[in-house]
Amino acid sequence: MSNIASRRRHILRLAAFATFLLVMFYLVAVRHVVDVDEVRRVVAATGPAAPLTYAVASAVLGAVFVPGPMLAAGSGLLFGPLLGIFVTLGATVGTAIVASLVGRRAGRDSARALLGAQRADRVDALIERGGLWAVVGQRFIPGISDALAAYAFGAFGVPLWQMAVGAFIGSVPRAFVYTSLGASIADRSAPLAYAAIAVWCVTAVVGAFAAHRGYRKWRAHARSAGDSGVSDSEAR
C-alpha cells in the first residue's frame, strides 16, 4: 500500500510541475504578459552594463517561456550583430542552466521513482554516453521550446555541464539568425537579413533530418529490445 501511495505522490508531483510549466507557457508565450519592449527600454537605460543586464534578464525570461527568437532579435536591435550574438548565447546558456536546475529539483527524484531503478540506471547510462549531443541535437530541431526541453533534460538528470556546453554549441546557428535579423532591422541591412534567412533554412533542414534519423534509431533500438524481451520469456 505504501508503494502505491508513494507512486501516486510522485505522479501528482510531476503532474503539478507539468501544469505549472503549461500555465507559464500560456501566460508568457501565448498571452504575452511580459512586455519585451519595456524590458529593452529598461536595459538600454543601464548604459555600459546593458549587455550583461540584458543577458541575465533574457536568461530568466527565457526560462519562463518568453520566446527566444524575440529575445535574440532584441539583442541584435540593442547591440548589433557581433556583440548581440555573444549576449544571445550568454542568455541561452543561462536559460538552459536555470531551467535544468529547476527541472532537476522538481522532477528528478519522481522521474527516477516512476521509471524504476533498472530503467533509471539505463537512462543514466544513455545520458552519460550521449547527453551532450542530445542537447545539441534538440537545438537544431525546429518547433521545440528550448526552455521546455531544458526542464525535461534536468528532470532526467542531464549533468549541468552538458546542458551548458550543449546549449552553447547547438544554439550558435539560431543565435546568429535571430540576432542578425534584429540587427538588420536597426541597420536596414538587407545582406545581413538574407544571410540570416539562409542559415535558418540550412539549420531547419539539418534539424529535421537529424530528428528523423534519431527517431528511426530509437524505433530500431526499441524493436530490438522488445524482441530480446520476447526471446527471454520464451526461454523461460
Side-chain angles (χ1 to χ4, degrees):
M1 188 68 180
S2 59
N3 288 338
I4 296 175
S6 176
R7 185 177 181 84
R8 185 177 299 145
R9 180 172 59 83
H10 287 302
I11 292 173
L12 289 174
R13 184 178 178 182
L14 288 177
F17 181 50
T19 301
F20 169 76
L21 294 181
L22 289 173
V23 169
M24 289 298 299
F25 181 81
Y26 174 76
L27 290 176
V28 177
V30 179
R31 300 294 299 178
H32 304 294
V33 296
V34 176
D35 188 345
V36 178
D37 291 333
E38 182 62 26
V39 172
R40 283 200 293 263
R41 283 192 290 270
V42 171
V43 167
T46 62
L52 179 60
T53 304
Y54 192 79
V56 173
S58 293
V60 175
L61 292 173
V64 295
F65 299 110
V66 172
M70 187 183 301
L71 295 170
S75 178
L77 192 63
L78 286 172
F79 310 115
L82 184 58
L83 178 58
I85 288 175
F86 288 101
V87 172
T88 297
L89 286 172
T92 299
V93 172
T95 294
I97 291 173
V98 170
S100 176
L101 284 173
V102 174
R104 178 184 288 267
R105 179 81 174 175
R108 168 78 166 150
D109 292 342
S110 295
R112 287 185 63 87
L114 292 177
L115 285 172
Q118 187 174 4
R119 288 179 181 174
D121 290 343
R122 196 177 304 157
V123 169
D124 287 343
L126 288 172
I127 289 171
E128 186 177 350
R129 289 199 304 269
L132 172 63
W133 298 112
V135 177
V136 173
Q138 176 271 314
R139 299 278 162 159
F140 278 82
I141 301 173
I144 296 179
S145 167
D146 292 339
L148 192 60
Y151 283 117
F153 282 131
F156 279 103
V158 173
L160 205 58
W161 75 267
Q162 290 187 356
M163 285 300 309
V165 175
F168 181 86
I169 295 172
S171 297
V172 169
R174 282 194 292 173
F176 170 78
V177 169
Y178 296 118
T179 306
S180 297
L181 286 174
S184 68
I185 294 172
D187 299 338
R188 301 182 184 277
S189 172
L192 185 60
Y194 292 147
I197 292 170
V199 172
W200 184 89
C201 291
V202 171
T203 303
V205 170
V206 170
F209 175 77
H212 177 68
R213 184 173 182 181
Y215 176 70
R216 289 182 61 185
K217 287 180 68 175
W218 175 80
R219 285 194 62 184
H221 178 75
R223 191 180 300 116
S224 64
D227 291 344
S228 176
V230 169
S231 298
D232 291 343
S233 63
E234 288 177 350
R236 287 193 296 269

